[in-house]
Amino acid sequence: MSRFFATGSDSESEESSSADEITPKATGTTFNKQDLLLSDDEEDTKRVVRSAKDKRFEELTNLIKTIRNAMKIRDMAKCLEEFEQLCRAFLKSKTIMDKEGVPQFYIRLLADLEDYLNQLWEDKEGKKKMNKNNAKALSTLRQKIRKYNKDFETEIASYKENPEQSAEEEEKDDAGSASSSGSDDDDDEGITAKSLLKKKPQEEEKKAPEASKFLKGAADEESESEDDEESEDWGSDSVDSGSESEDNEGAAASLAVVFLKKAQDSDKLTDDKKDSRRKKHKKKERLEEEADEEAEAEEGGWEKVKGGAPMVKEKPKMFAKGTEINSAVVVKKLTEILQARGKKGTDRAAQIELLHALAGISNENNLGEGILIKIKFNIIASLYDYNPNLAAFMKPDMWKKCLECIDELMDILFANSNIFIGENIAEDSENLAISDQPFRVRGCILTLVERMDEEFTKIMQNTDPHSQEYVDNLKDEGRVCGIIDRLLQYLETKGSTEEVCRVYLRRIMHTYYKFDYKAHRRSLGLQGETKSEQDQEESEGEDSAVIMDRLCKFIYAKDRTDRIRTCAILCHIYHHALHSRWFQARDLMLMSHLQDNIQHADPPVQILYNRTMVQLGICAFRQGMIKDAHNALLDIQSSGRAKELLGQGLLMRNMQERNAEQEKIEKRRQVPFHMHINLELLECVYLVSAMLLEIPYMAAHEFDARRRMISKQFHHQLRVGERQPLLGPPESMREHVVAASKAMKMGDWRTCHSFIINEKMNSKVWDLFPETQCVREMLVRKIQEESLRTYLFTYSSVYDSISMETLSEMFELDLPTVHSIISKMIINEELMASLDQPTQTVVMHRTEPTSLQNMALQLAEKLGGLVENNERVFDLKQGVYGGYFNRDQKGGYQQKQSYQRAPDQRGGYQQKQGYHRDQKGGYQQKQNYQRGGYRNQNQSSY
């Protein structure tokens, strides 16, 4: 101790100064026995002897700590690396584990890590945000931990059954090991003190084990304060120092160093004990709190409250006692409640309860319907604001409250005709009090109903379509349609034309996709099976077709906004097509000219357009208009994105092209499941239509070098079928169509018919149509006719003449039909033959070129194309563009087109394989309908 900092007596300062003078001599070249003993003591205090179990357990705990830190920051690569090290360390300590058993902290980590990885794996949005290394490490680590945990299934199961008990055992083990190591250290320190101080009295030696026992007891007791421990430790140190100062006065300075070290060691021990005691105390408090909470939850007493604004348990007093309640006071209170709306910390549920209470007070005091309607408006708005996130949907209880409030509001409006509501009414000009003047309230009931309809759509979008909950939610559509109908009646008398058009469109959107089975039964002349069903049909109102016609025609005549009219036209076409009114649907589509500018519409309208075109194509197929069906379905199916274009889901391959915000927007545009169009049925209709068109065309142009495919997708399926190394019986819908195409190519219509119409295809596709039997009969007839055409194209070179009666028997067609088909083929110059009427035979003319002539024609066409290409390159080099852009010769070039042949040539083709596509607009490609008719593609009509 330095003399400058001395605060004691003069004798103490003299002793300290003498100690300061002695210390430099102790550092000289000559060492006495005391100095050597002190150096040995320093080495003994630094070296800590631990068992192999402690070493292994410490290694495992360090690795577990690193893994848990990596889990907190979602560093999967680090987790994988440390887990592999942990497995190796566990193998090293296998012998210890066999003796002692697997420690609880190891089991706890395995269970927590597996749960954590499963949670991350289910979080799809989180996985998308991971980088490549973390995502790869996550899948690898998940597989390893599942495989590794199979060896510890029983331990993990017992841990998961009672995690608190296993956590307590783990802490007890840790505390026991800590106390045992502490006692060992105390014993070691006692031994070194004996070796150093041989003249120590026997009484103090007896006290030493008692002190160690006392220290052990103190480590176990939780109630003892930390101050007492510190005072006891310092007291023992002072006793020891006093005894040693009496015996060894000459070595005071060196002994002071020894005792300072020992004091530091004791501080470390006491700190460790304090930490373990604090942990055990906190654990015990936490367990007691949880037990109390469980007991109170069972008794129905207290409940845990989340942090934030304090929840109001008691009903707040609206008005002070004795306050006269009138309309002005209620309006003022309503304004106060609404001022807290949207502020941070505002409890939205409590705000809704306050508004309900205020509505009750206004009813009790008979303040009139004006104030009640204003409060109801704000209650509904607060229910909509309960979820601030646009993507979130309303909870079931809030949804029920919303429907009830809107029903009550409609009841008040229908009961009181002297109430005027509107957005254009200013708050200053509102008349809420009871007077001779009619009530005037600011608000828009149409906006509330539109928002309710949007919330219903969001609820259906976010519900699992294969669950009972979806069915239960769908039952609410009846209430939604009822509210829209009531609003429609109200606005027809008091609303503007624009508002009536908007509510009409809402009613149309709930009607256009539903098939009217009762109207269909009436059209077929069928009646209900029971008397109650017949009475119900008679009591029901007009058919959906009449309703759609009335609502849509009103919008066509009165609407001033282009969007509502466009949606109404598309819904009207969809409804016509759904009910097999093909000609009305086709004419309405052609007269509307929507296909010219639909790419400029917003995505929801484009999705509706796609759905309408698909339904139009399916309707054409049911009516036997195979070519029209193919043209209508071509663009949707050829894109390979039918699911996305119809708003029925997102494609995984396009996930990288959109960010999280765009994905949320796309999901909000999706159509609810009950409005979906069956994609397998759609693809089957398209492929069968393509088969009926493509197979005869391929047979007719087998040797044509410039033959172009009508359907890319159909040819792709054919190539896939040809590449199969082993051809078995068809299983999927596509395989059935490919097998039928091969049979039709050979002219075998019976095999083709058996592949297209069978039990499997009936259950998958054909039974889904309303008029199933009619569709099957139409398909059989079309297969027979097209097989006949294919047979004549393929085998005409074999025959000199063939009897029409023979063809009629082969294809089971009546003679006039066979005569009609062959006549059309001869007129269109598809078949070089003539009809002999007396003998009813077809005489072949043998004008088809031979194989050598076909090759020569192909060579001539290729040379002609080469010459034209050279001329174009020459014109570009010379800078003469007039000749390039103005050529009208056969096979020449035209502006914005490439290789456009003359339209009057048989088998001619148009740009990009015979059909134009306009990819503009993202959702919708331009369809093949043009003003005045359909575009002729790659085939002359027959």
Side-chain angles (χ1 to χ4, degrees), residues 561-571 594 598 605 608:
T561 62
D562 186 51
R563 188 181 186 279
I564 293 179
R565 186 170 61 253
T566 301
C567 291
I569 291 172
L570 291 173
C571 292
L594 288 176
I598 192 64
V605 178
L608 181 58

Side-chain angles (χ1 to χ4, degrees), residues 95 123 155 172 195 222 227 278 301 329 346 353 397 528 568 632 645 672 736 773 802 858 863 870 878 912 934:
T95 55
D123 185 9
E155 292 89 345
K172 284 178 183 178
S195 63
E222 294 180 0
D227 297 335
R278 285 194 198 102
V329 174
T346 303
E353 289 178 7
D397 53 344
L645 291 174
H736 277 86
Q773 193 59 35
I802 184 169
Q858 292 178 18
L863 288 174
N870 287 338
Q878 296 298 323
K912 293 187 180 178
Y934 290 89

Side-chain angles (χ1 to χ4, degrees), residues 119-133:
Q119 185 180 357
L120 278 185
W121 190 260
E122 292 171 359
D123 185 9
K124 294 182 180 178
E125 293 185 0
K127 280 167 65 178
K128 289 176 193 172
K129 295 177 183 177
M130 282 186 181
N131 57 27
K132 189 176 179 181
N133 292 335

Side-chain angles (χ1 to χ4, degrees), residues 313-419:
K313 290 296 178 185
E314 297 180 358
K315 276 193 173 181
K317 293 182 180 179
M318 284 286 186
F319 305 103
K321 192 174 181 180
T323 305
E324 182 183 354
I325 297 174
N326 52 29
S327 58
V329 174
V330 171
V331 170
K332 184 179 178 183
K333 191 66 181 178
L334 176 64
T335 308
E336 289 178 7
I337 296 172
L338 295 179
Q339 282 175 353
R341 180 178 168 188
K343 290 185 178 179
K344 189 176 180 182
T346 303
D347 189 353
R348 297 184 182 89
Q351 200 175 29
I352 294 169
E353 289 178 7
L354 288 174
L355 290 171
H356 276 293
L358 195 62
I361 291 173
S362 67
N363 268 335
E364 290 172 5
N365 292 274
N366 297 322
L367 298 179
E369 285 78 11
I371 290 179
L372 188 60
I373 284 180
K374 188 170 181 65
I375 295 172
K376 290 287 182 186
F377 269 121
N378 288 291
I379 289 173
I380 298 169
S382 300
L383 288 170
Y384 289 148
D385 291 345
Y386 190 78
N387 288 327
N389 188 4
L390 280 175
F393 59 99
M394 291 180 77
K395 295 178 181 177
D397 53 344
M398 292 294 172
W399 171 245
K400 300 293 182 189
K401 285 182 183 177
C402 180
L403 290 179
E404 290 170 2
C405 286
I406 293 177
D407 269 330
E408 292 171 4
L409 186 59
M410 295 300 300
D411 290 339
I412 297 171
L413 291 176
F414 275 106
N416 300 276
S417 58
N418 61 338
I419 299 175

Side-chain angles (χ1 to χ4, degrees), residues 691-720:
M691 176 191 76
L692 294 173
L693 295 175
E694 191 80 63
I695 297 299
Y697 178 76
M698 290 168 64
H701 300 84
E702 188 174 359
F703 301 106
D704 191 355
R706 294 198 172 189
R707 184 188 70 193
R708 289 293 181 265
M709 61 185 76
I710 297 174
S711 170
K712 266 189 174 182
Q713 190 179 7
F714 178 71
H715 276 271
H716 174 69
Q717 297 300 332
L718 286 181
R719 286 194 296 269
V720 169

Side-chain angles (χ1 to χ4, degrees), residues 584-652:
Q584 293 94 316
R586 183 198 64 181
D587 295 343
L588 190 56
M589 173 62 79
L590 293 175
M591 287 188 296
S592 66
H593 301 296
L594 288 176
Q595 62 273 13
D596 295 335
N597 53 10
I598 192 64
Q599 64 269 18
H600 302 300
D602 54 338
V605 178
Q606 290 185 16
I607 290 173
L608 181 58
Y609 177 81
N610 293 339
R611 287 166 53 81
T612 304
M613 289 303 302
V614 163
Q615 198 60 246
L616 197 62
I618 295 173
C619 175
F621 181 81
R622 289 200 303 267
Q623 300 299 314
M625 311 286 183
I626 302 300
K627 195 170 183 181
D628 295 328
H630 181 269
N631 289 342
L633 300 177
L634 177 66
D635 284 333
I636 298 292
Q637 285 298 120
S638 60
S639 65
R641 299 187 302 136
K643 186 178 181 181
E644 189 173 2
L645 291 174
L646 295 174
Q648 296 182 186
L650 302 179
L651 297 179
M652 294 302 294

Side-chain angles (χ1 to χ4, degrees), residues 74 114 258 331 352 361 366 388 440 558 565 583 677 732:
R74 292 195 175 192
E114 187 176 9
V258 174
V331 170
I352 294 169
I361 291 173
N366 297 322
R440 293 170 58 85
K558 304 289 185 181
R565 186 170 61 253
F583 293 103
I677 296 171
S732 67

